[in-house]
Amino acid sequence: MENPLADIDDIEQITDPAERARQAGERLAAIPTWQERLRKIRQAAVVEMKSGGMSYAEIGRKLDLHRNRIQQILEGRSAGGKGGKAGAAE
């Protein structure tokens, strides 16, 4: 897998502190959008695996997650507990 933090590594190398701060700020502002989009991508993939006949436990083993977490993902619940939806902090 490619380094998901490569972009951050590049930002750390920017010599101008104002530009480095601006670039970091842009990434920070994008985090909520990224989280929502990534949750949707993950949920769709889990739905696809479940629709293909895999059990919660089988999917959990593939993703290194507990089967209960797989059920939560399928239902669109975040890991925050209390029945939060995918937009909640995870």
Side-chain angles (χ1 to χ4, degrees):
M1 179 174 98
E2 223 177 272
N3 179 2
L5 301 178
D7 192 44
I8 295 172
D9 294 338
D10 292 342
I11 292 169
E12 285 181 321
Q13 301 306 312
I14 298 172
T15 56
D16 176 17
E19 180 62 15
R20 190 169 59 244
R22 189 181 70 72
Q23 292 290 330
E26 286 179 11
R27 287 0 176 250
L28 286 167
I31 287 173
T33 301
W34 291 352
Q35 286 179 323
E36 180 180 350
R37 192 167 172 196
L38 289 168
R39 280 188 189 102
K40 288 178 182 179
I41 291 167
R42 178 180 62 186
Q43 183 182 27
V46 171
V47 166
E48 186 177 338
M49 287 186 277
K50 185 68 176 145
S51 296
M54 293 178 75
S55 69
Y56 294 133
E58 289 169 326
I59 298 168
R61 282 191 295 274
K62 288 263 189 194
L63 303 182
D64 198 26
L65 296 171
H66 193 276
R67 66 182 180 274
N68 293 347
R69 183 67 190 113
I70 298 304
Q71 185 174 6
Q72 291 173 342
I73 291 168
L74 283 166
E75 294 171 355
R77 291 191 285 151
S78 72
K82 309 296 185 245
K85 288 296 181 187
E90 186 167 290

mmCIF file of all heavy atoms in Angstrom, residues 35-62:
data_model
loop_
_atom_site.group_PDB
_atom_site.id
_atom_site.type_symbol
_atom_site.label_atom_id
_atom_site.label_comp_id
_atom_site.label_asym_id
_atom_site.label_seq_id
_atom_site.Cartn_x
_atom_site.Cartn_y
_atom_site.Cartn_z
ATOM 1 N N GLN A 35 -13.284 12.137 5.522
ATOM 2 C CA GLN A 35 -13.822 11.093 6.397
ATOM 3 C C GLN A 35 -15.167 10.588 5.888
ATOM 4 O O GLN A 35 -15.397 9.378 5.826
ATOM 5 C CB GLN A 35 -13.976 11.617 7.825
ATOM 6 C CG GLN A 35 -12.662 11.750 8.555
ATOM 7 C CD GLN A 35 -12.855 12.300 9.950
ATOM 8 O OE1 GLN A 35 -13.697 13.156 10.200
ATOM 9 N NE2 GLN A 35 -12.051 11.812 10.880
ATOM 10 N N GLU A 36 -16.051 11.503 5.533
ATOM 11 C CA GLU A 36 -17.368 11.100 5.048
ATOM 12 C C GLU A 36 -17.251 10.270 3.772
ATOM 13 O O GLU A 36 -17.878 9.226 3.630
ATOM 14 C CB GLU A 36 -18.240 12.332 4.790
ATOM 15 C CG GLU A 36 -19.627 11.981 4.293
ATOM 16 C CD GLU A 36 -20.488 13.204 4.035
ATOM 17 O OE1 GLU A 36 -20.101 14.322 4.409
ATOM 18 O OE2 GLU A 36 -21.564 13.025 3.436
ATOM 19 N N ARG A 37 -16.434 10.741 2.876
ATOM 20 C CA ARG A 37 -16.273 10.025 1.597
ATOM 21 C C ARG A 37 -15.646 8.645 1.796
ATOM 22 O O ARG A 37 -16.083 7.656 1.204
ATOM 23 C CB ARG A 37 -15.421 10.874 0.665
ATOM 24 C CG ARG A 37 -15.413 10.387 -0.745
ATOM 25 C CD ARG A 37 -14.821 11.418 -1.652
ATOM 26 N NE ARG A 37 -14.654 10.863 -2.985
ATOM 27 C CZ ARG A 37 -13.902 11.396 -3.907
ATOM 28 N NH1 ARG A 37 -13.268 12.512 -3.680
ATOM 29 N NH2 ARG A 37 -13.788 10.829 -5.086
ATOM 30 N N LEU A 38 -14.616 8.581 2.647
ATOM 31 C CA LEU A 38 -13.964 7.296 2.916
ATOM 32 C C LEU A 38 -14.906 6.329 3.623
ATOM 33 O O LEU A 38 -14.898 5.124 3.336
ATOM 34 C CB LEU A 38 -12.690 7.508 3.737
ATOM 35 C CG LEU A 38 -11.546 8.168 2.967
ATOM 36 C CD1 LEU A 38 -10.443 8.594 3.925
ATOM 37 C CD2 LEU A 38 -11.010 7.244 1.891
ATOM 38 N N ARG A 39 -15.743 6.829 4.542
ATOM 39 C CA ARG A 39 -16.728 5.964 5.195
ATOM 40 C C ARG A 39 -17.682 5.369 4.166
ATOM 41 O O ARG A 39 -18.027 4.188 4.233
ATOM 42 C CB ARG A 39 -17.521 6.748 6.236
ATOM 43 C CG ARG A 39 -16.807 6.933 7.533
ATOM 44 C CD ARG A 39 -17.744 7.548 8.574
ATOM 45 N NE ARG A 39 -16.983 7.914 9.737
ATOM 46 C CZ ARG A 39 -16.594 9.164 10.027
ATOM 47 N NH1 ARG A 39 -16.931 10.157 9.254
ATOM 48 N NH2 ARG A 39 -15.886 9.401 11.099
ATOM 49 N N LYS A 40 -18.128 6.199 3.224
ATOM 50 C CA LYS A 40 -19.048 5.720 2.189
ATOM 51 C C LYS A 40 -18.385 4.675 1.298
ATOM 52 O O LYS A 40 -19.010 3.675 0.929
ATOM 53 C CB LYS A 40 -19.571 6.893 1.356
ATOM 54 C CG LYS A 40 -20.554 7.749 2.110
ATOM 55 C CD LYS A 40 -21.017 8.918 1.280
ATOM 56 C CE LYS A 40 -21.978 9.799 2.079
ATOM 57 N NZ LYS A 40 -22.423 10.960 1.309
ATOM 58 N N ILE A 41 -17.128 4.904 0.953
ATOM 59 C CA ILE A 41 -16.384 3.936 0.133
ATOM 60 C C ILE A 41 -16.262 2.613 0.883
ATOM 61 O O ILE A 41 -16.514 1.535 0.335
ATOM 62 C CB ILE A 41 -14.993 4.482 -0.249
ATOM 63 C CG1 ILE A 41 -15.131 5.649 -1.231
ATOM 64 C CG2 ILE A 41 -14.101 3.375 -0.815
ATOM 65 C CD1 ILE A 41 -13.846 6.450 -1.429
ATOM 66 N N ARG A 42 -15.888 2.703 2.180
ATOM 67 C CA ARG A 42 -15.733 1.485 2.982
ATOM 68 C C ARG A 42 -17.067 0.772 3.136
ATOM 69 O O ARG A 42 -17.147 -0.451 2.977
ATOM 70 C CB ARG A 42 -15.147 1.830 4.353
ATOM 71 C CG ARG A 42 -15.000 0.609 5.249
ATOM 72 C CD ARG A 42 -14.421 0.923 6.589
ATOM 73 N NE ARG A 42 -15.285 1.836 7.326
ATOM 74 C CZ ARG A 42 -14.958 2.370 8.498
ATOM 75 N NH1 ARG A 42 -13.797 2.105 9.058
ATOM 76 N NH2 ARG A 42 -15.786 3.189 9.117
ATOM 77 N N GLN A 43 -18.130 1.515 3.421
ATOM 78 C CA GLN A 43 -19.440 0.897 3.601
ATOM 79 C C GLN A 43 -19.885 0.188 2.322
ATOM 80 O O GLN A 43 -20.376 -0.939 2.369
ATOM 81 C CB GLN A 43 -20.480 1.934 4.018
ATOM 82 C CG GLN A 43 -21.839 1.303 4.296
ATOM 83 C CD GLN A 43 -22.895 2.318 4.671
ATOM 84 O OE1 GLN A 43 -22.820 3.476 4.282
ATOM 85 N NE2 GLN A 43 -23.881 1.888 5.440
ATOM 86 N N ALA A 44 -19.702 0.826 1.180
ATOM 87 C CA ALA A 44 -20.092 0.206 -0.094
ATOM 88 C C ALA A 44 -19.310 -1.084 -0.331
ATOM 89 O O ALA A 44 -19.866 -2.083 -0.811
ATOM 90 C CB ALA A 44 -19.879 1.187 -1.245
ATOM 91 N N ALA A 45 -18.030 -1.082 0.019
ATOM 92 C CA ALA A 45 -17.213 -2.286 -0.158
ATOM 93 C C ALA A 45 -17.698 -3.405 0.764
ATOM 94 O O ALA A 45 -17.778 -4.574 0.359
ATOM 95 C CB ALA A 45 -15.745 -1.976 0.102
ATOM 96 N N VAL A 46 -18.045 -3.061 2.000
ATOM 97 C CA VAL A 46 -18.539 -4.057 2.946
ATOM 98 C C VAL A 46 -19.900 -4.585 2.484
ATOM 99 O O VAL A 46 -20.164 -5.793 2.553
ATOM 100 C CB VAL A 46 -18.588 -3.479 4.382
ATOM 101 C CG1 VAL A 46 -19.307 -4.418 5.330
ATOM 102 C CG2 VAL A 46 -17.174 -3.210 4.886
ATOM 103 N N VAL A 47 -20.757 -3.710 1.992
ATOM 104 C CA VAL A 47 -22.050 -4.138 1.450
ATOM 105 C C VAL A 47 -21.821 -5.119 0.298
ATOM 106 O O VAL A 47 -22.494 -6.148 0.195
ATOM 107 C CB VAL A 47 -22.888 -2.923 0.984
ATOM 108 C CG1 VAL A 47 -24.062 -3.354 0.115
ATOM 109 C CG2 VAL A 47 -23.370 -2.122 2.186
ATOM 110 N N GLU A 48 -20.865 -4.808 -0.547
ATOM 111 C CA GLU A 48 -20.555 -5.684 -1.682
ATOM 112 C C GLU A 48 -20.097 -7.064 -1.204
ATOM 113 O O GLU A 48 -20.521 -8.095 -1.740
ATOM 114 C CB GLU A 48 -19.478 -5.025 -2.544
ATOM 115 C CG GLU A 48 -19.167 -5.745 -3.820
ATOM 116 C CD GLU A 48 -18.145 -5.003 -4.674
ATOM 117 O OE1 GLU A 48 -17.978 -3.780 -4.511
ATOM 118 O OE2 GLU A 48 -17.519 -5.665 -5.510
ATOM 119 N N MET A 49 -19.234 -7.089 -0.177
ATOM 120 C CA MET A 49 -18.775 -8.375 0.349
ATOM 121 C C MET A 49 -19.929 -9.157 0.972
ATOM 122 O O MET A 49 -20.056 -10.364 0.760
ATOM 123 C CB MET A 49 -17.657 -8.155 1.373
ATOM 124 C CG MET A 49 -16.337 -7.734 0.752
ATOM 125 S SD MET A 49 -14.988 -7.637 1.962
ATOM 126 C CE MET A 49 -15.268 -6.003 2.629
ATOM 127 N N LYS A 50 -20.789 -8.458 1.724
ATOM 128 C CA LYS A 50 -21.933 -9.119 2.364
ATOM 129 C C LYS A 50 -22.904 -9.628 1.307
ATOM 130 O O LYS A 50 -23.396 -10.758 1.404
ATOM 131 C CB LYS A 50 -22.622 -8.142 3.329
ATOM 132 C CG LYS A 50 -23.744 -8.746 4.120
ATOM 133 C CD LYS A 50 -23.229 -9.759 5.122
ATOM 134 C CE LYS A 50 -24.388 -10.268 5.983
ATOM 135 N NZ LYS A 50 -24.241 -11.656 6.326
ATOM 136 N N SER A 51 -23.164 -8.825 0.285
ATOM 137 C CA SER A 51 -24.052 -9.237 -0.807
ATOM 138 C C SER A 51 -23.479 -10.421 -1.572
ATOM 139 O O SER A 51 -24.223 -11.204 -2.165
ATOM 140 C CB SER A 51 -24.285 -8.078 -1.775
ATOM 141 O OG SER A 51 -24.956 -7.033 -1.124
ATOM 142 N N GLY A 52 -22.163 -10.548 -1.560
ATOM 143 C CA GLY A 52 -21.500 -11.669 -2.222
ATOM 144 C C GLY A 52 -21.534 -12.946 -1.409
ATOM 145 O O GLY A 52 -20.956 -13.961 -1.814
ATOM 146 N N GLY A 53 -22.170 -12.892 -0.242
ATOM 147 C CA GLY A 53 -22.347 -14.106 0.549
ATOM 148 C C GLY A 53 -21.420 -14.261 1.736
ATOM 149 O O GLY A 53 -21.476 -15.269 2.435
ATOM 150 N N MET A 54 -20.568 -13.271 1.993
ATOM 151 C CA MET A 54 -19.662 -13.388 3.134
ATOM 152 C C MET A 54 -20.409 -13.083 4.428
ATOM 153 O O MET A 54 -21.300 -12.237 4.459
ATOM 154 C CB MET A 54 -18.479 -12.425 2.975
ATOM 155 C CG MET A 54 -17.545 -12.772 1.821
ATOM 156 S SD MET A 54 -16.198 -11.584 1.640
ATOM 157 C CE MET A 54 -15.179 -12.065 3.024
ATOM 158 N N SER A 55 -20.005 -13.752 5.492
ATOM 159 C CA SER A 55 -20.588 -13.493 6.813
ATOM 160 C C SER A 55 -19.892 -12.282 7.439
ATOM 161 O O SER A 55 -18.830 -11.844 6.976
ATOM 162 C CB SER A 55 -20.395 -14.710 7.726
ATOM 163 O OG SER A 55 -19.029 -14.860 8.059
ATOM 164 N N TYR A 56 -20.488 -11.770 8.513
ATOM 165 C CA TYR A 56 -19.855 -10.667 9.249
ATOM 166 C C TYR A 56 -18.457 -11.084 9.714
ATOM 167 O O TYR A 56 -17.500 -10.324 9.620
ATOM 168 C CB TYR A 56 -20.682 -10.263 10.468
ATOM 169 C CG TYR A 56 -22.036 -9.655 10.164
ATOM 170 C CD1 TYR A 56 -23.169 -10.074 10.842
ATOM 171 C CD2 TYR A 56 -22.183 -8.649 9.221
ATOM 172 C CE1 TYR A 56 -24.407 -9.514 10.589
ATOM 173 C CE2 TYR A 56 -23.422 -8.091 8.954
ATOM 174 C CZ TYR A 56 -24.533 -8.527 9.642
ATOM 175 O OH TYR A 56 -25.752 -7.968 9.383
ATOM 176 N N ALA A 57 -18.357 -12.308 10.218
ATOM 177 C CA ALA A 57 -17.068 -12.800 10.724
ATOM 178 C C ALA A 57 -16.032 -12.895 9.601
ATOM 179 O O ALA A 57 -14.865 -12.539 9.795
ATOM 180 C CB ALA A 57 -17.252 -14.151 11.403
ATOM 181 N N GLU A 58 -16.436 -13.383 8.438
ATOM 182 C CA GLU A 58 -15.506 -13.498 7.306
ATOM 183 C C GLU A 58 -15.017 -12.118 6.863
ATOM 184 O O GLU A 58 -13.824 -11.928 6.618
ATOM 185 C CB GLU A 58 -16.176 -14.208 6.133
ATOM 186 C CG GLU A 58 -16.420 -15.688 6.364
ATOM 187 C CD GLU A 58 -17.309 -16.314 5.306
ATOM 188 O OE1 GLU A 58 -18.228 -15.644 4.782
ATOM 189 O OE2 GLU A 58 -17.067 -17.495 5.002
ATOM 190 N N ILE A 59 -15.946 -11.187 6.773
ATOM 191 C CA ILE A 59 -15.567 -9.822 6.381
ATOM 192 C C ILE A 59 -14.640 -9.237 7.440
ATOM 193 O O ILE A 59 -13.623 -8.616 7.117
ATOM 194 C CB ILE A 59 -16.809 -8.937 6.179
ATOM 195 C CG1 ILE A 59 -17.679 -9.478 5.043
ATOM 196 C CG2 ILE A 59 -16.392 -7.486 5.900
ATOM 197 C CD1 ILE A 59 -19.066 -8.849 4.960
ATOM 198 N N GLY A 60 -14.985 -9.450 8.702
ATOM 199 C CA GLY A 60 -14.153 -8.951 9.798
ATOM 200 C C GLY A 60 -12.730 -9.473 9.729
ATOM 201 O O GLY A 60 -11.774 -8.719 9.919
ATOM 202 N N ARG A 61 -12.595 -10.759 9.408
ATOM 203 C CA ARG A 61 -11.242 -11.323 9.282
ATOM 204 C C ARG A 61 -10.478 -10.665 8.132
ATOM 205 O O ARG A 61 -9.302 -10.370 8.253
ATOM 206 C CB ARG A 61 -11.310 -12.835 9.098
ATOM 207 C CG ARG A 61 -11.576 -13.579 10.405
ATOM 208 C CD ARG A 61 -11.372 -15.073 10.277
ATOM 209 N NE ARG A 61 -12.322 -15.709 9.378
ATOM 210 C CZ ARG A 61 -13.530 -16.137 9.731
ATOM 211 N NH1 ARG A 61 -13.954 -15.998 10.976
ATOM 212 N NH2 ARG A 61 -14.321 -16.729 8.858
ATOM 213 N N LYS A 62 -11.171 -10.438 7.029
ATOM 214 C CA LYS A 62 -10.521 -9.799 5.869
ATOM 215 C C LYS A 62 -10.052 -8.383 6.200
ATOM 216 O O LYS A 62 -9.018 -7.936 5.714
ATOM 217 C CB LYS A 62 -11.484 -9.728 4.679
ATOM 218 C CG LYS A 62 -11.754 -11.027 4.012
ATOM 219 C CD LYS A 62 -10.860 -11.146 2.820
ATOM 220 C CE LYS A 62 -11.275 -12.355 2.004
ATOM 221 N NZ LYS A 62 -10.277 -12.713 1.046
#
